[in-house]
Amino acid sequence: MSLDIVILAAGQGTRMRSALPKVLHPVAGNSMLGHVIHSARQLQPQGIHVVIGHGAELVRERLAADDLNFVLQDKQLGTGHAVAQAIPAVTADTVLVLYGDVPLIEVETLQRLLAKVSDQQLGLLTVDLDDPTGYGRIVRDGQGQVTAIVEHKDASDAQKAIKEGNTGILAMPAARLSDWMGRLSNNNAQGEYYLTDVIAMAVADGLVVATEQPHDAMEVQGANDRRQLSELERHYQLREGRRLMALGVTLRDPARFDVRGEVTVGRDVLIDVNVILEGKVVIEDDVQIGPNCVIKNSTLRKGAVVKANSHLEGAVLGEGSDAGPFARLRPGSVLEAKAHVGNFVELKNAHLGEGAKVGHLTYLGDAEVGARTNIGAGTITCNYDGANKFKTVLGEDVFIGSNNSLVAPVEIKDGATTAAGSTINQTIEEKQLGVARARQRNIDGWKRPEKIKKS
Ligand code: UD1
Ligand code: CA
């Protein structure tokens, strides 16, 4: 079977009350349309055709990719009209229709649906609903065979009593499609070209309509307003939390945990409350993450510990290393095994060798720090002169006293020491002590200034 996927994404989404096209609103850090495209790709179709209309330029710009064919629907004349715009680009033998505002649909559900399609059969995804108001109703004959879909606004009272609703997701043999599309009319309550009319046409042509249901109704839930968007968000997060717990992660509270990207985890990982994981995050065995941490595009190796209120982006924490509380690790921060970063420390493009320690109130930018080197509180690298950045290189077993300014480019070699309060801008050779501060003077009989009396 070869497959083309058509994703409808032209609608306006008035109820979002937003300048942003509806399908670009995010769920778990990715646009709703982005989620649908991600699922579509996993089915390895030969084409993905995205029908755009409202905010077309922005949608195209945000999601452009080589494997996507954007099709413009100038006027939104209905779901049937939308699919028809993509038909000229279809080359496969099966067409699957998805929706840019129905982001949680699962690949496994779609695979079950596609298994039903042949040149004699359509696959229709339906859902049983307590309140099917607004949904197209699935009409079946005495033998239980689907014969038609009737839209809510066109339904009789008897049809309105049907609880089986149309999700809109549908897989069809492509050979018949242009014929059916050509026969659609807009002679109905909404004056729209309904994709759902294809069902009765297929039945009239002697085809069978086979149905499948999603495991979870949230898979087929669309978001028309921000309240529904938040429901999709929470559902997504709970699903992701359960997936990670099943793999060996303890989440202190799955309701206070957010993933906005792709996370891989090992076993016996502990994640405290209010942790946000963004982008690509790799967490190995025995890692512990304290409360209120944001971790983006980072790797935490076996046994690494991130303490409360830390912010990591583009960082690598080696085995048994630790950072925080209140650590800020910016892109290019690398901690080798057992390195230690304490509170109020900022690293940017800085490499800490094995067992190196940066305990308190420090900024290291563009720095190379050798194994076991210890950096005293309040030390900063002066890595930027306002125009260019320069490197600070510290060897192994270096001891930097408190409150040093390391003016780059500068090198401090193995085993060297610096005195507290030094401003270091020249090379210190191995095992030397560098002292670069004014000598202390004590002045006898010093008179403190007195307050000037106002007349
Ligand atoms: C549609 C179905 C209905 C189903 C419901 C599930 C039809 C006629 N009805 O109704 O049976 O129960 O979905 O939510 O298909 N769109 C376009 N171009 C258009 C029209 C729509 O791209 O010209 C897109 C919209 O952006 C939206 C989707 O198609 O994402 C569904 O359109 P909408 O008008 O909301 O259909 P419903 O009335 O919800
Ligand atoms: Ca709708």
Side-chain angles (χ1 to χ4, degrees):
M1 186 198 76
S2 59
L3 178 64
D4 268 302
I5 297 180
V6 178
I7 303 175
L8 304 193
Q12 183 166 24
T14 322
R15 279 180 284 160
M16 285 290 181
R17 296 190 183 277
S18 175
L20 196 66
K22 174 159 86 163
V23 294
L24 292 184
H25 278 263
V27 168
N30 189 5
S31 65
M32 290 198 279
L33 179 55
H35 282 279
V36 180
I37 290 168
H38 179 75
S39 299
R41 283 187 176 129
Q42 291 175 63
L43 296 167
Q44 296 176 319
Q46 59 187 49
I48 300 178
H49 314 281
V50 185
V51 181
I52 52 177
H54 279 281
E57 279 322 302
L58 194 57
V59 176
R60 199 197 293 260
E61 190 185 304
R62 289 277 181 89
L63 289 153
D66 289 346
D67 62 341
L68 300 181
N69 171 37
F70 289 95
V71 181
L72 190 66
Q73 185 193 23
D74 260 329
K75 283 190 182 134
Q76 283 67 60
L77 302 178
T79 49
H81 180 260
V83 171
Q85 307 312 301
I87 296 300
V90 165
T91 52
D93 53 33
T94 298
V95 172
L96 171 67
V97 181
L98 300 175
Y99 298 83
D101 59 352
V102 182
L104 301 189
I105 185 66
E106 297 222 14
V107 173
E108 188 271 339
T109 300
L110 296 174
Q111 283 163 338
R112 277 191 288 124
L113 186 68
L114 288 167
K116 299 260 157 136
V117 184
S118 69
D119 55 355
Q120 292 304 314
Q121 192 161 289
L122 281 69
L124 176 64
L125 196 66
T126 71
V127 61
D128 291 324
L129 298 157
D130 293 334
D131 177 14
T133 304
Y135 281 76
R137 305 299 206 282
I138 310 299
V139 181
R140 294 177 183 267
D141 66 15
Q143 279 75 55
Q145 291 295 320
V146 175
T147 57
I149 298 176
V150 180
E151 289 304 296
H152 182 90
K153 287 183 177 149
D154 300 290
S156 65
D157 285 348
Q159 287 166 335
K160 280 192 179 123
I162 298 170
K163 298 281 192 197
E164 187 180 13
N166 173 32
T167 67
I169 294 172
L170 169 71
M172 304 169 280
R176 310 270 186 154
L177 260 181
S178 35
D179 173 41
W180 292 336
M181 292 291 134
R183 283 154 58 195
L184 292 177
S185 97
N186 63 353
N187 184 16
N188 53 49
Q190 300 183 79
E192 287 179 9
Y193 294 91
Y194 291 162
L195 176 62
T196 45
D197 285 352
V198 157
I199 298 299
M201 290 182 199
V203 172
D205 286 355
L207 280 81
V208 171
V209 177
T211 57
E212 272 290 333
Q213 278 78 40
H215 287 299
D216 186 327
M218 286 302 282
E219 282 184 53
V220 296
Q221 180 65 54
N224 293 312
D225 54 32
R226 294 186 199 240
R227 178 183 160 169
Q228 286 175 330
L229 195 66
S230 77
E231 288 164 3
L232 294 182
E233 177 78 30
R234 286 342 298 165
H235 184 81
Y236 178 96
Q237 296 304 346
L238 220 48
R239 191 166 89 182
E240 190 61 14
R242 287 187 185 137
R243 181 180 79 81
L244 297 182
M245 289 189 281
L247 292 171
V249 176
T250 293
L251 291 179
R252 285 277 191 243
D253 183 358
R256 285 181 288 170
F257 169 68
D258 287 76
V259 173
R260 299 172 190 163
E262 250 176 77
V263 179
T264 56
V265 291
R267 291 206 211 179
D268 297 310
V269 169
L270 179 65
I271 299 181
D272 214 321
V273 299
N274 295 331
V275 168
I276 300 177
L277 305 178
E278 290 183 55
K280 261 202 158 65
V281 177
V282 176
I283 301 174
E284 295 185 356
D285 293 352
D286 306 316
V287 163
Q288 298 188 17
I289 303 173
N292 308 319
C293 291
V294 177
I295 300 175
K296 185 173 183 180
N297 295 325
S298 294
T299 297
L300 311 181
R301 301 230 184 274
K302 187 175 161 61
V305 177
V306 181
K307 293 179 186 161
N309 302 301
S310 293
H311 192 285
L312 278 58
E313 179 175 358
V316 179
L317 267 63
E319 279 193 30
S321 66
D322 72 293
F326 295 99
R328 174 145 191 240
L329 306 185
R330 294 168 59 202
S333 299
V334 178
L335 279 60
E336 295 295 345
K338 298 203 167 68
H340 164 72
V341 167
N343 48 208
F344 307 110
V345 170
E346 176 182 348
L347 303 187
K348 163 84 197 296
N349 196 22
H351 181 269
L352 304 187
E354 193 168 332
K357 290 189 170 66
V358 189
H360 339 259
L361 299 154
T362 287
Y363 169 63
L364 299 181
D366 304 305
E368 186 69 45
V369 177
R372 298 171 304 281
T373 284
N374 189 317
I375 297 184
T379 292
I380 62 164
T381 53
C382 308
N383 60 317
Y384 183 54
D385 62 7
N388 296 295
K389 289 184 173 166
F390 300 95
K391 218 168 162 187
T392 300
V393 179
L394 309 183
E396 298 182 348
D397 301 297
V398 168
F399 185 92
I400 302 290
S402 293
N403 206 36
N404 275 209
S405 298
L406 308 175
V407 184
V410 67
E411 185 177 6
I412 301 174
K413 295 190 178 168
D414 293 355
T417 302
T418 67
S422 291
T423 297
I424 303 292
N425 62 359
Q426 291 169 37
T427 305
I428 305 176
E429 299 297 339
E430 286 187 22
K431 298 193 177 161
Q432 284 184 326
L433 168 68
V435 188
R437 65 186 185 213
R439 206 172 263 287
Q440 182 172 340
R441 293 184 297 152
N442 296 341
I443 299 171
D444 288 330
W446 174 250
K447 282 210 164 50
R448 290 186 185 170
E450 282 173 18
K451 207 165 195 136
I452 300 167
K453 290 208 173 70
K454 286 188 188 133
S455 53

